[in-house]
Amino acid sequence: MSGHSKWHSIRHKKAVIDSKRAGAFTRLAKDITVAAREGGDPEMNFRLRLAIDRAKAANMPKENIERAIGRGTGENKDGVQVEEVIYEAYGPGQIAMLIKVLTDNKNRTISEIRNLLKKNNGKMAEGGGVAWQFEQSGFLRAKINKDGGMTADEVELAIIESGAKDYQTEEDEYLIYTLPADLKVVKENLEKQGLKVEEADLVFLAKNKIEVSDNERESYENLYKTLDEHDDVAAIFDNLL
Protein backbone atom coordinates (compact mmCIF):
# COMPACT_ATOMS: atom_id res chain seq x y z
CA MET A 1 0.00 0.00 0.00
CA SER A 2 1.46 3.38 -0.94
CA GLY A 3 0.66 7.07 -0.81
CA HIS A 4 -1.81 8.71 -3.13
CA SER A 5 -1.87 12.40 -4.09
CA LYS A 6 -4.98 14.52 -4.39
CA TRP A 7 -4.30 15.15 -8.08
CA HIS A 8 -3.84 11.42 -8.68
CA SER A 9 -7.25 10.88 -7.11
CA ILE A 10 -8.82 13.52 -9.33
CA ARG A 11 -7.54 11.78 -12.43
CA HIS A 12 -8.83 8.35 -11.41
CA LYS A 13 -12.27 9.76 -10.61
CA LYS A 14 -12.61 11.04 -14.17
CA ALA A 15 -15.55 8.75 -14.95
CA VAL A 16 -17.60 10.30 -12.16
CA ILE A 17 -16.79 13.80 -13.36
CA ASP A 18 -17.66 12.82 -16.94
CA SER A 19 -21.12 11.71 -15.87
CA LYS A 20 -21.94 15.26 -14.81
CA ARG A 21 -20.89 16.90 -18.06
CA ALA A 22 -23.18 17.86 -20.92
CA GLY A 23 -21.17 15.89 -23.46
CA ALA A 24 -21.00 12.73 -21.36
CA PHE A 25 -23.62 10.78 -23.33
CA THR A 26 -21.81 11.41 -26.61
CA ARG A 27 -18.53 10.18 -25.17
CA LEU A 28 -20.10 7.17 -23.51
CA ALA A 29 -21.92 6.25 -26.73
CA LYS A 30 -18.63 6.29 -28.63
CA ASP A 31 -17.10 4.03 -26.00
CA ILE A 32 -19.97 1.55 -26.40
CA THR A 33 -19.76 1.68 -30.20
CA VAL A 34 -16.04 0.88 -30.28
CA ALA A 35 -16.46 -1.93 -27.72
CA ALA A 36 -19.42 -3.43 -29.61
CA ARG A 37 -17.21 -4.10 -32.64
CA GLU A 38 -15.92 -7.12 -30.70
CA GLY A 39 -19.51 -8.42 -30.33
CA GLY A 40 -22.85 -7.03 -29.28
CA ASP A 41 -23.53 -9.39 -26.35
CA PRO A 42 -22.23 -7.90 -23.07
CA GLU A 43 -22.22 -11.36 -21.48
CA MET A 44 -19.63 -12.46 -24.03
CA ASN A 45 -17.88 -9.10 -24.49
CA PHE A 46 -16.47 -7.86 -21.17
CA ARG A 47 -15.29 -4.55 -22.60
CA LEU A 48 -18.81 -3.84 -23.83
CA ARG A 49 -20.24 -4.76 -20.44
CA LEU A 50 -17.92 -2.23 -18.77
CA ALA A 51 -18.90 0.46 -21.27
CA ILE A 52 -22.61 -0.22 -20.69
CA ASP A 53 -22.09 -0.14 -16.91
CA ARG A 54 -20.48 3.30 -17.21
CA ALA A 55 -23.36 4.51 -19.36
CA LYS A 56 -25.97 3.22 -16.91
CA ALA A 57 -24.10 4.87 -14.01
CA ALA A 58 -24.45 8.16 -15.89
CA ASN A 59 -28.20 7.50 -16.41
CA MET A 60 -27.92 7.20 -20.19
CA PRO A 61 -31.31 6.20 -21.67
CA LYS A 62 -31.65 2.56 -22.72
CA GLU A 63 -32.44 3.50 -26.32
CA ASN A 64 -29.18 5.49 -26.56
CA ILE A 65 -27.23 2.47 -25.34
CA GLU A 66 -28.95 0.14 -27.81
CA ARG A 67 -28.39 2.57 -30.67
CA ALA A 68 -24.67 2.79 -29.84
CA ILE A 69 -24.39 -1.01 -29.72
CA GLY A 70 -26.11 -1.27 -33.09
CA ARG A 71 -23.71 1.24 -34.58
CA GLY A 72 -20.77 -0.85 -33.39
CA THR A 73 -22.13 -4.19 -34.62
CA GLY A 74 -23.17 -2.69 -37.95
CA GLU A 75 -26.90 -3.15 -37.42
CA ASN A 76 -27.34 0.62 -37.25
CA LYS A 77 -25.74 1.87 -40.47
CA ASP A 78 -25.68 5.64 -40.15
CA GLY A 79 -22.33 6.16 -41.86
CA VAL A 80 -20.53 7.17 -38.65
CA GLN A 81 -17.29 5.27 -38.04
CA VAL A 82 -15.86 5.83 -34.56
CA GLU A 83 -12.22 4.90 -34.01
CA GLU A 84 -10.04 4.63 -30.91
CA VAL A 85 -6.69 6.37 -31.26
CA ILE A 86 -3.92 6.94 -28.71
CA TYR A 87 -1.79 10.04 -29.19
CA GLU A 88 1.64 10.35 -27.58
CA ALA A 89 2.66 13.72 -26.19
CA TYR A 90 4.78 15.66 -23.72
CA GLY A 91 3.40 18.19 -21.28
CA PRO A 92 5.16 20.92 -19.29
CA GLY A 93 8.30 19.63 -17.56
CA GLN A 94 8.58 16.83 -20.16
CA ILE A 95 5.70 14.93 -18.54
CA ALA A 96 5.00 11.90 -20.75
CA MET A 97 1.36 11.58 -21.82
CA LEU A 98 -0.87 9.07 -23.59
CA ILE A 99 -4.12 10.67 -24.78
CA LYS A 100 -6.85 8.18 -25.75
CA VAL A 101 -9.52 9.57 -28.05
CA LEU A 102 -12.70 8.20 -29.62
CA THR A 103 -13.31 10.05 -32.85
CA ASP A 104 -15.24 9.90 -36.11
CA ASN A 105 -12.79 12.31 -37.76
CA LYS A 106 -9.11 11.66 -37.02
CA ASN A 107 -7.85 14.62 -39.04
CA ARG A 108 -10.03 17.07 -37.11
CA THR A 109 -9.25 15.56 -33.74
CA ILE A 110 -5.47 15.39 -34.10
CA SER A 111 -5.41 19.01 -35.29
CA GLU A 112 -7.44 20.16 -32.28
CA ILE A 113 -5.39 18.10 -29.80
CA ARG A 114 -2.15 19.43 -31.27
CA ASN A 115 -3.40 23.02 -30.91
CA LEU A 116 -4.48 22.48 -27.29
CA LEU A 117 -1.07 21.04 -26.47
CA LYS A 118 0.74 23.93 -28.15
CA LYS A 119 -1.33 26.56 -26.31
CA ASN A 120 -0.60 24.89 -22.96
CA ASN A 121 3.17 24.29 -23.16
CA GLY A 122 2.86 20.77 -24.51
CA LYS A 123 3.68 19.05 -27.81
CA MET A 124 2.96 15.90 -29.79
CA ALA A 125 5.65 13.19 -29.63
CA GLU A 126 7.07 10.88 -32.27
CA GLY A 127 5.25 7.55 -32.56
CA GLY A 128 6.61 5.14 -29.96
CA GLY A 129 8.63 7.84 -28.20
CA VAL A 130 6.28 7.87 -25.20
CA ALA A 131 4.36 4.58 -25.30
CA TRP A 132 7.35 2.49 -24.16
CA GLN A 133 7.28 4.34 -20.83
CA PHE A 134 3.87 2.83 -19.95
CA GLU A 135 2.38 -0.62 -19.40
CA GLN A 136 -1.27 -1.62 -19.59
CA SER A 137 -3.06 -2.60 -16.39
CA GLY A 138 -6.54 -3.43 -15.18
CA PHE A 139 -7.90 -0.81 -12.78
CA LEU A 140 -10.85 -0.92 -10.38
CA ARG A 141 -12.17 1.62 -7.92
CA ALA A 142 -14.19 -0.01 -5.16
CA LYS A 143 -15.96 0.88 -1.93
CA ILE A 144 -17.01 -1.17 1.05
CA ASN A 145 -20.65 -2.13 0.86
CA LYS A 146 -21.90 -0.53 4.10
CA ASP A 147 -24.54 -3.24 4.47
CA GLY A 148 -21.88 -5.93 4.27
CA GLY A 149 -20.32 -5.24 7.67
CA MET A 150 -16.73 -5.84 6.47
CA THR A 151 -13.78 -4.53 8.43
CA ALA A 152 -10.80 -2.88 6.73
CA ASP A 153 -8.71 -6.01 7.34
CA GLU A 154 -11.40 -8.19 5.77
CA VAL A 155 -11.57 -5.91 2.73
CA GLU A 156 -7.81 -6.03 2.25
CA LEU A 157 -7.85 -9.82 2.54
CA ALA A 158 -10.66 -10.00 -0.04
CA ILE A 159 -8.61 -7.85 -2.42
CA ILE A 160 -5.54 -10.05 -2.00
CA GLU A 161 -7.58 -13.24 -2.53
CA SER A 162 -9.35 -11.78 -5.58
CA GLY A 163 -6.21 -12.13 -7.70
CA ALA A 164 -5.38 -8.42 -7.72
CA LYS A 165 -1.79 -7.41 -8.39
CA ASP A 166 -1.67 -4.33 -6.13
CA TYR A 167 -3.92 -1.83 -4.40
CA GLN A 168 -3.95 1.58 -2.72
CA THR A 169 -6.35 3.29 -0.35
CA GLU A 170 -7.86 6.71 -0.94
CA GLU A 171 -10.18 7.94 1.81
CA ASP A 172 -13.06 5.40 1.81
CA GLU A 173 -12.11 3.85 -1.53
CA TYR A 174 -9.75 1.16 -2.74
CA LEU A 175 -7.82 1.62 -5.99
CA ILE A 176 -7.04 -1.86 -7.25
CA TYR A 177 -4.69 -2.92 -10.05
CA THR A 178 -4.66 -6.21 -11.98
CA LEU A 179 -2.99 -7.86 -14.91
CA PRO A 180 -5.03 -6.85 -18.01
CA ALA A 181 -6.27 -10.40 -18.57
CA ASP A 182 -7.39 -10.70 -14.92
CA LEU A 183 -9.65 -7.62 -14.78
CA LYS A 184 -12.90 -9.52 -15.36
CA VAL A 185 -12.17 -12.25 -12.81
CA VAL A 186 -10.95 -9.82 -10.14
CA LYS A 187 -14.03 -7.64 -10.59
CA GLU A 188 -16.34 -10.62 -10.19
CA ASN A 189 -14.42 -11.89 -7.15
CA LEU A 190 -14.57 -8.49 -5.43
CA GLU A 191 -18.31 -8.21 -6.01
CA LYS A 192 -18.85 -11.71 -4.61
CA GLN A 193 -16.99 -10.63 -1.48
CA GLY A 194 -19.36 -7.68 -1.01
CA LEU A 195 -17.33 -4.79 -2.40
CA LYS A 196 -19.07 -2.24 -4.59
CA VAL A 197 -17.04 -1.75 -7.78
CA GLU A 198 -17.74 1.77 -9.03
CA GLU A 199 -15.26 1.84 -11.90
CA ALA A 200 -13.40 -0.79 -13.90
CA ASP A 201 -11.30 -0.26 -17.00
CA LEU A 202 -8.00 -0.94 -18.73
CA VAL A 203 -5.51 1.86 -18.13
CA PHE A 204 -1.87 2.70 -18.85
CA LEU A 205 0.48 3.08 -15.89
CA ALA A 206 3.88 4.77 -16.07
CA LYS A 207 6.83 2.46 -15.41
CA ASN A 208 8.71 5.33 -13.78
CA LYS A 209 7.26 8.59 -12.48
CA ILE A 210 8.86 12.01 -12.41
CA GLU A 211 8.66 15.09 -10.23
CA VAL A 212 8.30 18.59 -11.66
CA SER A 213 8.39 22.09 -10.23
CA ASP A 214 5.27 23.66 -8.73
CA ASN A 215 4.93 25.96 -11.75
CA GLU A 216 5.24 23.06 -14.18
CA ARG A 217 2.70 21.04 -12.19
CA GLU A 218 0.21 23.92 -12.25
CA SER A 219 0.77 24.37 -15.97
CA TYR A 220 0.24 20.64 -16.54
CA GLU A 221 -2.96 20.58 -14.51
CA ASN A 222 -4.31 23.37 -16.74
CA LEU A 223 -3.35 21.35 -19.84
CA TYR A 224 -4.94 18.20 -18.42
CA LYS A 225 -8.22 19.94 -17.65
CA THR A 226 -8.29 21.59 -21.08
CA LEU A 227 -7.76 18.27 -22.87
CA ASP A 228 -10.26 16.53 -20.58
CA GLU A 229 -12.96 18.96 -21.68
CA HIS A 230 -12.54 17.95 -25.34
CA ASP A 231 -15.48 15.75 -26.37
CA ASP A 232 -13.26 13.22 -28.17
CA VAL A 233 -10.83 12.65 -25.28
CA ALA A 234 -11.72 9.45 -23.42
CA ALA A 235 -8.73 9.19 -21.06
CA ILE A 236 -5.37 10.76 -20.27
CA PHE A 237 -2.43 8.87 -18.72
CA ASP A 238 0.85 10.38 -17.56
CA ASN A 239 4.03 9.71 -15.55
CA LEU A 240 3.59 12.57 -13.06
CA LEU A 241 4.42 11.59 -9.49
Side-chain angles (χ1 to χ4, degrees):
M1 186 169 65
S2 57
H4 207 59
S5 72
K6 179 180 179 182
W7 177 244
H8 193 79
S9 175
I10 289 172
R11 287 180 289 171
H12 274 312
K13 291 179 180 176
K14 179 180 188 308
V16 176
I17 296 170
D18 281 350
S19 69
K20 299 177 182 177
R21 296 214 313 240
F25 285 177
T26 299
R27 183 178 301 193
L28 290 165
K30 289 179 182 178
D31 194 21
I32 292 171
T33 295
V34 171
R37 293 212 186 101
E38 300 171 16
D41 183 356
E43 295 302 316
M44 302 296 294
N45 182 346
F46 182 60
R47 181 180 177 184
L48 177 59
R49 191 200 311 177
L50 292 178
I52 292 173
D53 287 346
R54 286 191 287 271
K56 288 181 177 178
N59 296 316
M60 176 183 277
K62 181 180 179 181
E63 57 268 25
N64 292 37
I65 294 174
E66 292 176 347
R67 186 161 54 247
I69 293 173
R71 186 175 293 124
T73 59
E75 294 174 25
N76 180 9
K77 299 180 180 180
D78 57 6
V80 176
Q81 182 75 12
V82 179
E83 298 180 75
E84 179 181 290
V85 185
I86 297 179
Y87 298 128
E88 302 175 54
Y90 284 104
Q94 287 296 103
I95 296 171
M97 305 174 65
L98 294 179
I99 306 167
K100 185 172 81 170
V101 305
L102 301 172
T103 177
D104 58 7
N105 187 327
K106 289 196 294 185
N107 290 334
R108 181 204 68 224
T109 300
I110 193 171
S111 176
E112 292 174 353
I113 297 300
R114 184 181 285 114
N115 286 337
L116 291 176
L117 286 163
K118 185 176 180 180
K119 290 177 181 178
N120 290 275
N121 301 312
K123 62 181 180 180
M124 299 291 287
E126 296 285 339
V130 168
W132 67 270
Q133 301 180 54
F134 294 81
E135 60 184 0
Q136 195 172 47
S137 171
F139 169 75
L140 304 104
R141 183 166 55 84
K143 283 187 176 183
I144 299 175
N145 187 335
K146 294 183 179 180
D147 297 328
M150 297 176 72
T151 66
D153 287 343
E154 288 172 336
V155 171
E156 293 183 10
L157 180 60
I159 293 173
I160 293 170
E161 293 181 342
S162 72
K165 183 179 178 182
D166 193 12
Y167 72 96
Q168 298 170 325
T169 57
E170 173 65 32
E171 297 177 354
D172 63 339
E173 296 182 332
Y174 292 84
L175 308 180
I176 302 161
Y177 302 90
T178 78
L179 293 173
D182 293 343
L183 179 60
K184 179 178 183 290
V185 172
V186 172
K187 180 177 183 292
E188 291 172 348
N189 287 341
L190 291 172
E191 290 172 336
K192 288 177 184 176
Q193 292 292 332
L195 272 74
K196 181 180 180 183
V197 177
E198 300 202 337
E199 182 181 355
D201 205 352
L202 290 172
V203 301
F204 289 93
L205 301 179
K207 297 175 184 176
N208 296 292
K209 297 191 176 184
I210 65 171
E211 293 188 31
V212 296
S213 69
D214 289 345
N215 286 339
E216 289 169 334
R217 180 179 289 271
E218 182 178 358
S219 181
Y220 175 69
E221 290 179 7
N222 289 333
L223 168 61
Y224 183 100
K225 291 173 183 175
T226 300
L227 288 170
D228 186 45
E229 290 171 357
H230 192 288
D231 286 341
D232 291 346
V233 174
I236 304 167
F237 309 101
D238 60 54
N239 67 342
L240 179 62
L241 186 65

